Amino acid sequence: MVNKPSSSNLINSSTGDWEMVIGLEVHAQVTSKAKLFSGAATDFGADPNSQVSLVDAAMPGMLPVINEECVAQAVRTGLGLNAKINLHSVFDRKNYFYPDLPQGYQISQFSQPIVGEGEVVLDMEDGKSVTVGIERLHLEQDAGKSLHDQDPKNSYVDLNRSGVALMEIVSKPDIRSAPQAQAYVTKLRSILRYLGTCNGDMEEGSLRADVNVSVRRPGGPLGTRCEIKNMNSIRFIGQAIEYEARRQIDILEEGGEIIQQTRLFDTKTGETRSMRSKEEAHDYRYFPDPDLLPVEFSQDFVDGLANQLPELPDQKKSRFMTDWKLAPYDAELLVAEKERADYFEEMVGLDADPKSSANLILNQHLGRVNKEGIEFESAPVPAAASAAILKMTSEGVISGKIAKELYDLVWETGDDPVKLVEERGLKQVTDTGAIEKVVDEVIAANPKQVEQVKAKPQTFGWFVGQVMQKTGGKANPQSVNKLLREKLEIGDN
Ligand code: ADP
Ligand code: MG
């Protein structure tokens, strides 16, 4: 979620302003039953080495066979990023040694990726929009996993992940602040999830980012960058960028220079530290994989996939703004997750007021979901119940205050809100006679305050509070206000 305004992207310092330059390489695991070049399963959390074919274990003589569904998923993603789809692309071998990489190389795409330039538009909280260019998207194999915590002396290797298809999505260095980088990952994740091409689960590592950060004087030439590897939390991405930019500025201001490095973010200290420098960088000796032909497909294949794409967040957002007159930022937050957007559409489909529905979802509903730490889908207040609560409020059956409590009651009991209002007597008291009685009581019991409110009209709210309290929040606020103003002889401000 975007949580800071993006208006001031410059970092002020005693020696003048600095600007951050950020580019991200996002690894997204392709949603597919089988791996990129083998038929082995890809389910998360299976027993170690239970989903490993001879190809994934790199047995001698085994040959990779491309999985067409993974190609289709990459093309769909490219379309969702408004990117150029390359009808001809090439798989290369990226050579390096690692215990969890049995082939001794990773099959990836280097100079001819399946998807070329595209873009992602970010709508920031301050109403500005930022366009981040996509450099490329390529397909590659994931590596296995070394397990160091299973045995005191030995490390084990789990090859379940070996050969799983990844999309590497490389942005241009167009990002200028930590909130923009967070918004970028959020938006990219949302697009992938709408498309159904990656489940976006960052905790399970299905989506992770390498974050490249440099600083420069505004408008000056690009500075030397450092790359923070393997970030799998949007919150930590923000922290790592802030820390890293500050670190680089401190070095430059002391007259030092930035050394191009790969760094790691330490979630405990909030700092980044060096993992390896450019001198230790790998020479991957890329060359086209002789076991694989270039990937070729027709424009018809691409058009067929394009025709089947679901409505994407940006389209949904503009539809929400046109059809329901929502503010851009509210619409943005609603469409960020498909489940939220569906919930909203169900509410307005039941005639709930669009603006109030958006407020209820984004404030109360999401607030409670986050507080309970559960998934949006498993919240016990269905859209129909939220719509009924809003309807009773707008019809004056219940007060706004009771509406909030009623929502929580539905959450806790799972009962129908209309039934709860009946059973628990939560209807708003609009009978002025009954309200007047309470108003008189409050005025009679508090002569001091009555005297005070004449001199200090701002203390008027205290009386409203007293009456509401005595009526259990059920008094119609307009009537309470009106009666109190009359009796205390206070005008409408
Ligand atoms: P490599 O393949 O060595 O990682 P790339 O040129 O492909 O290098 O860039 C990787 C990422 O680094 C891209 O997302 C790009 O936007 C970003 N990047 C490139 N130059 C800079 C820079 N000066 N500051 C910040 N990010 C940068
Ligand atoms: Mg890189």
Short mmCIF file of all heavy atoms in Angstrom, two decimals, residues 25 212 225 227 229, ligand 2:
data_model
loop_
_atom_site.label_atom_id
_atom_site.label_comp_id
_atom_site.label_asym_id
_atom_site.label_seq_id
_atom_site.Cartn_x
_atom_site.Cartn_y
_atom_site.Cartn_z
N GLU A 25 14.33 -5.12 -10.60
CA GLU A 25 14.25 -6.39 -11.34
C GLU A 25 13.37 -7.31 -10.49
O GLU A 25 13.77 -7.70 -9.39
CB GLU A 25 15.64 -6.99 -11.50
CG GLU A 25 16.57 -6.12 -12.34
CD GLU A 25 18.03 -6.39 -12.06
OE1 GLU A 25 18.59 -5.78 -11.13
OE2 GLU A 25 18.62 -7.22 -12.76
N ASN A 212 17.64 -1.68 -7.38
CA ASN A 212 18.84 -0.92 -7.73
C ASN A 212 18.64 0.53 -7.32
O ASN A 212 17.65 1.15 -7.70
CB ASN A 212 19.09 -0.98 -9.24
CG ASN A 212 19.41 -2.39 -9.69
OD1 ASN A 212 20.56 -2.81 -9.68
ND2 ASN A 212 18.38 -3.15 -10.05
N ARG A 225 25.22 2.67 -9.11
CA ARG A 225 24.13 2.06 -8.34
C ARG A 225 24.61 0.90 -7.48
O ARG A 225 25.63 0.28 -7.77
CB ARG A 225 23.06 1.56 -9.28
CG ARG A 225 23.49 0.34 -10.08
CD ARG A 225 22.48 0.02 -11.16
NE ARG A 225 23.12 -0.55 -12.32
CZ ARG A 225 23.02 -1.84 -12.66
NH1 ARG A 225 22.35 -2.68 -11.91
NH2 ARG A 225 23.62 -2.28 -13.72
N GLU A 227 22.84 -2.69 -5.81
CA GLU A 227 21.67 -3.54 -6.01
C GLU A 227 21.38 -4.28 -4.71
O GLU A 227 22.24 -4.98 -4.19
CB GLU A 227 21.97 -4.53 -7.14
CG GLU A 227 20.87 -5.52 -7.40
CD GLU A 227 21.19 -6.46 -8.57
OE1 GLU A 227 22.33 -6.41 -9.08
OE2 GLU A 227 20.31 -7.24 -8.96
N LYS A 229 19.53 -7.21 -3.07
CA LYS A 229 19.01 -8.47 -3.60
C LYS A 229 17.81 -9.03 -2.84
O LYS A 229 17.71 -8.85 -1.62
CB LYS A 229 20.12 -9.53 -3.48
CG LYS A 229 21.09 -9.52 -4.64
CD LYS A 229 20.53 -10.32 -5.79
CE LYS A 229 21.44 -10.32 -6.98
NZ LYS A 229 20.74 -10.54 -8.23
MG MG B 2 20.86 -7.25 -12.13
#
